């Protein structure tokens, strides 16, 4: 408990850490050394900082903690997918997933504890939003998966998707700060082109991303390009309707020149007809884009069921006929509740 009460040293900027050392009568460059251990070498405790003297390490320990997340439980799927339930400094739990493919190792990370969005088909929505994750807590999830990639696959982490629990654009500042650390040469040095932030479609924040000139990829969970259906699936659509989303995405494309990926689940009797497929094709023409058709991962015995294969084919034909790139994404990690929309701390007490 003592640890949790001390300030996490990683909340300090480099300038603040330099200030700290100067105030303690130490050298300014000490801060850079410590910063390097924290963000580049991702150390979890002060004692391992081998070029820092014992007395300085003791002084650091007296003032600060390193509240690194702990992998509380790790589940491995038959298909190689790994799900981590990670414990935060205050005992709360979030989940992150390692997804191996022949060419990539992708980390799927959470941005909030729980979620406030109430999408009807998503298990995470059943948890209320408890709090935002701090930048270091997001960073640590990536580090845990990076280490598992080395340990279990002997391969490096190649990609990161913000498709775990929570809505990244409703924890904007912390997600941006985590990405800055992940991409910085002084941090993990991963290219922003290998990072994708997925949003339910918070239009104001999509425009902010564009204004901030971000270099990572944007994905939007669309699921329907028809307001009535989308509102039924995702209540956020009441305040962020499809026309406004289109306008925000046009702004995004004008400012960044980057295409967008739409995530789309096709459900039986909900959006599996010709009208919805045509609406999606038309929506895709607004700005350059591609579609990932995600298989539905059942979360209960409820109203949602995966559409039949012929309906998915119908969508693909219409999209391809309109020159739109669409891929059907195989579900991964379903047996351990690690697939899209299944993250809900089932195995853990929150
Ligand atoms: N809040 C962000 C990040 C979550 S990403 C967003 O909405 O984009 C999780 C992705 O899985 C989203 O595209 C979401 O719509 C999708 N999803 C949620 N529940 C699902 C389920 N049961 N089966 C398949 N996909 C699901």
């Amino acid at each position: 408990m003592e640890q949790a009460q001390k300030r996490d040293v990683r909340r300090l900027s480099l300038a603040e850490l330099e200030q700290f050392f100067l105030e303690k009568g130490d050298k300014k460059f000490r801060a850079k050394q410590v910063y390097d251990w924290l963000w580049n070498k991702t150390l979890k405790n002060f004692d391992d900082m081998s070029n820092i003297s014992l007395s300085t390490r003791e002084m650091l320990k007296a003032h600060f903690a390193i509240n690194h997340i702990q992998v509380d439980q790790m589940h491995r799927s038959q298909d190689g997918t790994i799900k981590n339930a990670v414990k935060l400094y205050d005992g709360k739990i979030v989940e992150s997933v390692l997804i191996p493919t022949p060419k990539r190792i992708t980390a799927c990370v959470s941005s909030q504890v729980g979620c406030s969005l109430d999408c009807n088909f998503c298990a995470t929505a059943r948890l209320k939003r408890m709090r935002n994750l701090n930048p270091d807590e997001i960073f640590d999830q990536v580090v845990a998966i990076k280490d598992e990639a080395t340990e279990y696959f002997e391969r490096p982490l190649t990609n990161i998707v913000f498709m775990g629990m929570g809505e990244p654009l409703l924890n904007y500042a912390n997600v941006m700060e985590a990405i800055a650390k992940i991409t910085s040469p002084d941090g993990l040095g991963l290219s922003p082109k290998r990072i994708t932030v997925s949003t339910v479609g918070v239009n104001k924040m999509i425009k902010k991303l564009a204004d901030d000139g971000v270099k990572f990829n944007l994905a939007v969970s669309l699921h329907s390009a028809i307001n009535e259906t989308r509102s039924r699936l995702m209540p956020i659509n009441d305040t962020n309707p499809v026309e406004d989303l289109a306008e925000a995405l046009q702004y995004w494309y004008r400012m960044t020149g980057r295409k967008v990926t739409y995530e789309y689940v096709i459900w039986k009797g909900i959006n599996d007809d010709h009208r919805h497929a045509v609406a999606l094709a038309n929506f895709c023409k607004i700005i350059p884009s591609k579609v990932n058709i995600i298989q539905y991962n059942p979360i209960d015995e409820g109203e949602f069921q995966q559409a039949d294969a012929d309906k998915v084919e119908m969508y693909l034909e219409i999209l391809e006929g309109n020159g739109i790139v669409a891929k059907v994404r195989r579900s991964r990690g379903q047996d351990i509740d690690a697939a899209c929309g299944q993250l809900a701390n089932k195995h853990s007490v929150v």
Side-chain angles (χ1 to χ4, degrees), residues 3 5 69 117 127 157 225 321:
Q3 277 236 323
Q5 285 154 10
I69 58 153
L117 288 172
L127 308 166
L157 174 69

Side-chain angles (χ1 to χ4, degrees), residues 265-286:
V265 177
I266 309 172
W267 287 281
K268 195 176 268 187
I270 293 177
N271 59 353
D272 63 350
D273 55 15
H274 190 263
R275 186 171 72 102
H276 281 90
V278 170
L280 173 60
N282 288 334
F283 192 85
C284 287
K285 289 182 194 160
I286 295 169

Side-chain angles (χ1 to χ4, degrees), residues 117 121-122 162-164 166-168 198-200 221 223 263 265 294-297 299 340-341:
L117 288 172
F121 49 84
C122 181
F162 282 76
M163 297 187 187
E167 167 53 42
S198 177
T199 177
V200 73
S221 300
H223 303 311
E263 295 152 276
V265 177
I294 313 175
Q295 192 185 324
Y296 177 57
N297 299 303
I299 54 167
C340 298

